[in-house]
Amino acid sequence: MTLECEKIGGINLAQGVCDTPVPKIIQEEAFRGMENGVNIYTRFDGIHELRGAIAEKAWKYNRIKANPETDVVVSAGSTGSFYCACLALLDPGDEVILFEPYYGYHINTLLAVETVPRYVRMEPPDWSFSEKELEKAATARTKAIVLNTPGNPSGKVFSPRELELIAEFAQRHDLFVFTDEIYEYFLYDGRIHISPGSLEALADRTITISGFSKTFSITGWRIGYSISSAKWANRIGYMNDLIYVCAPAPLQYGVAMGMSQLDSSFYEDLSREYSRKRGKLCDTLKQAGLRPHVPQGAYYILADVSSLPGNNSKKKAMYLLEQTGVACVPGEAFYHDASGKDLVRFCFAKTDQELNEACQRLGQFSSKSSTLLSVR
Ligand SMILES: Cc1ncc(COP(=O)(O)O)c(C=O)c1O
């Protein structure tokens, strides 16, 4: 959709690329690093300052105890962290439970390491799942369960009750819990983030994955990390060394500086700002007759586009792009079957200027389509 969007010079609400500004302090420290000769490999699991800042934040924000010397592995984005964790801890043929709608890189990473995904469906409006379905997905070969909270594309924020249930389930079946928490600061309507790894029952079996792409608007810097018990972190670190050697050196210093200097107001502002953008796009979609499932977190909106022409979500997304110049992602990208055929995903991590322009175009589409309806 990004390529199609570029062809017509449209507005790309498809890809999860936030083009909001990078905090100055982070940029300046990265520049300073380059100027001061920080241009060589770092320790395989990241620089001391960043591992320390991550461990401190893990305790203060996530309520996870992590030893920065043994439990934290800085990697090439959370994507790199997930890939290294899967390679290190899973074997071909292992079954892994994945909630759907899922994030594309999760399914493709699981397939790349030759594991067998088992799907558990989450249903709107709150993207809840059935305990029975979860139980049905487990077999003697199940080795892990993947969580994403807040989730892409659904915005799902797992509730304390759901996490307790998953904790009991993971313990009973002796599973790893891989949890991708990259959107941990993007929370709406007073929701709070609970890290599965903070639950006592899960502490030893959880690989907590996160990164800075979204929080600091640095998707191209490629800095993320995993936190796990030393015995798992050791294996994950080995894979990280083998594949990436280390994360970009001067950029690690920039991120470490941002983590130590930006206070809670930065993260609160982030939530407020994105909540405003969520409201704006949801309102526009409603007016356009593209019914949004209002997200609880993250920065995507899944919208019901059954009213658009076309018998699958790709045709519907292409129709919308042709009519409005606004690109979105076809919903079938988030399901292993045709269940997403009436859904598309919009990303609202955009500058105000771009989001306003997109909303204006979608708004005109709404008036165009209502004219069509009245003619009919
Ligand atoms: C759920 C989820 N995890 C990970 C990523 C990628 O993160 P990173 O840039 O840290 O690799 C994304 C980006 O869209 C995402 O949506």
Side-chain angles (χ1 to χ4, degrees), residues 60-78:
K60 286 191 181 148
Y61 185 66
N62 306 91
R63 311 311 289 172
I64 294 174
K65 273 198 198 120
N67 179 341
E69 280 305 308
T70 55
D71 302 351
V72 178
V73 180
V74 175
S75 186
S78 59

Side-chain angles (χ1 to χ4, degrees), residues 15-17 76-82 103-106 148-153 180-183 209-214 218-225 298-300 345:
Q15 234 175 351
V17 175
S78 59
T79 306
S81 301
F82 184 59
Y103 167 57
Y105 275 74
H106 290 159
N148 180 203
T149 182
N152 173 10
D180 179 339
E181 301 173 29
I182 187 126
Y183 298 103
I209 292 163
S210 193
F212 306 96
S213 288
K214 316 290 174 169
I218 48 171
T219 51
W221 284 27
R222 314 309 305 131
I223 314 257
Y225 62 87
Y299 51 52
Y300 306 95
R345 189 198 74 179

Side-chain angles (χ1 to χ4, degrees), residues 188-207:
Y188 311 120
D189 308 320
R191 282 196 173 72
I192 55 160
H193 175 64
I194 302 173
S195 286
S198 67
L199 275 61
E200 202 167 325
L202 293 184
D204 239 18
R205 57 181 72 249
T206 298
I207 318 301

Side-chain angles (χ1 to χ4, degrees), residues 91-146:
D91 288 316
D94 284 347
E95 292 183 12
V96 179
I97 297 174
L98 185 62
F99 289 95
E100 71 178 350
Y102 47 64
Y103 167 57
Y105 275 74
H106 290 159
I107 182 68
N108 288 329
T109 303
L110 293 174
L111 294 174
V113 300
E114 296 179 42
T115 60
V116 180
R118 297 278 172 218
Y119 306 98
V120 175
R121 188 63 58 88
M122 301 190 292
E123 300 288 353
D126 58 353
W127 304 101
S128 54
F129 59 93
S130 135
E131 204 175 330
K132 260 199 202 138
E133 290 298 310
L134 180 63
E135 211 53 65
K136 259 182 20 202
T139 73
R141 299 186 67 88
T142 313
K143 187 84 171 282
I145 182 167
V146 176

